[in-house]
C-alpha cells in the first residue's frame, strides 16, 4: 500500500502562530523551503515588545559539501538559498550564531 505524507507550510498556521517574535528553523537542509512557505507570516507585523515590533529568525546552514550531500538546495549553497528567500522580506542580517552548528541570524525591529 502507498504511504502519503501531508505537507504544510508555516503560512497554513498563520492564525495560530502570528505574530512571531522568534523562529528557529533546523530542518536538516530544508530551511530555505520552510522560509519560502512562510512568506505571509514573515511579511506580517512581528510581535510587539516595549512598543517595538520585533522578530528574530535563526536558520541553520551547512557548508557546501554537506548541503550537496543532503541535496536540499535551490542553488549552489544552502546559505545562498536562505539569503535568496530572505531578500524578499524586510529583515536585517546579523552575526551568525554558532552553537555547534552555524545559524544565520536575521532581525526585524520596527517602532
Amino acid at each position: 500500500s502507498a504511504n502519503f505524507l501531508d505537507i504544510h507550510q508555516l503560512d497554513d498556521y498563520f492564525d495560530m502562530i502570528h505574530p512571531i517574535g522568534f523562529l528557529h528553523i533546523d530542518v536538516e537542509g530544508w530551511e530555505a523551503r520552510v522560509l519560502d512557505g512562510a512568506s505571509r507570516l514573515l511579511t506580517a507585523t512581528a510581535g510587539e515588545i516595549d512598543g517595538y515590533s520585533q522578530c528574530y529568525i535563526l536558520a541553520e546552514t551547512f557548508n557546501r559539501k554537506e548541503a550537496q550531500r543532503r541535496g536540499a538546495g535551490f542553488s549552489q549553497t544552502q546559505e545562498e538559498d536562505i539569503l535568496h528567500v530572505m531578500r524578499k522580506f524586510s529583515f536585517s542580517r546579523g552575526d551568525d550564531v554558532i552553537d555547534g552548528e552555524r545559524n544565520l541570524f536575521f532581525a526585524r525591529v520596527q517602532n
Side-chain angles (χ1 to χ4, degrees):
S1 81
N3 293 321
F4 294 95
L5 176 67
D6 288 333
I7 297 175
H8 298 271
Q9 298 179 345
L10 283 177
D11 282 344
D12 294 340
Y13 300 97
F14 182 89
D15 292 334
M16 293 175 19
I17 62 177
H18 176 266
I20 57 170
F22 180 79
L23 180 64
H24 182 197
I25 304 169
D26 182 350
V27 289
E28 303 306 312
W30 298 93
E31 286 75 6
R33 293 188 181 175
V34 168
L35 290 165
D36 206 35
S39 60
R40 180 175 171 218
L41 189 62
L42 297 177
T43 301
T45 305
E48 188 171 304
I49 301 170
D50 296 331
Y52 291 90
S53 178
Q54 303 179 13
C55 183
Y56 304 97
I57 297 175
L58 285 178
E60 183 185 38
T61 188
F62 306 114
N63 63 38
R64 177 173 285 182
K65 184 177 180 181
E66 183 61 19
Q68 288 174 340
R69 184 184 77 77
R70 293 172 188 242
F74 294 133
S75 63
Q76 295 198 22
T77 70
Q78 183 188 18
E79 180 175 350
E80 289 170 0
D81 296 342
I82 293 168
L83 293 173
H84 173 77
V85 172
M86 290 303 292
R87 282 185 195 105
K88 295 187 253 180
F89 311 108
S90 57
F91 281 80
S92 300
R93 175 88 159 78
D95 293 336
D96 293 348
V97 175
I98 311 277
D99 62 354
E101 298 172 333
R102 181 170 165 241
N103 294 274
L104 304 181
F105 177 76
F106 301 92
R108 180 174 63 203
V109 178
Q110 302 167 328
N111 57 4

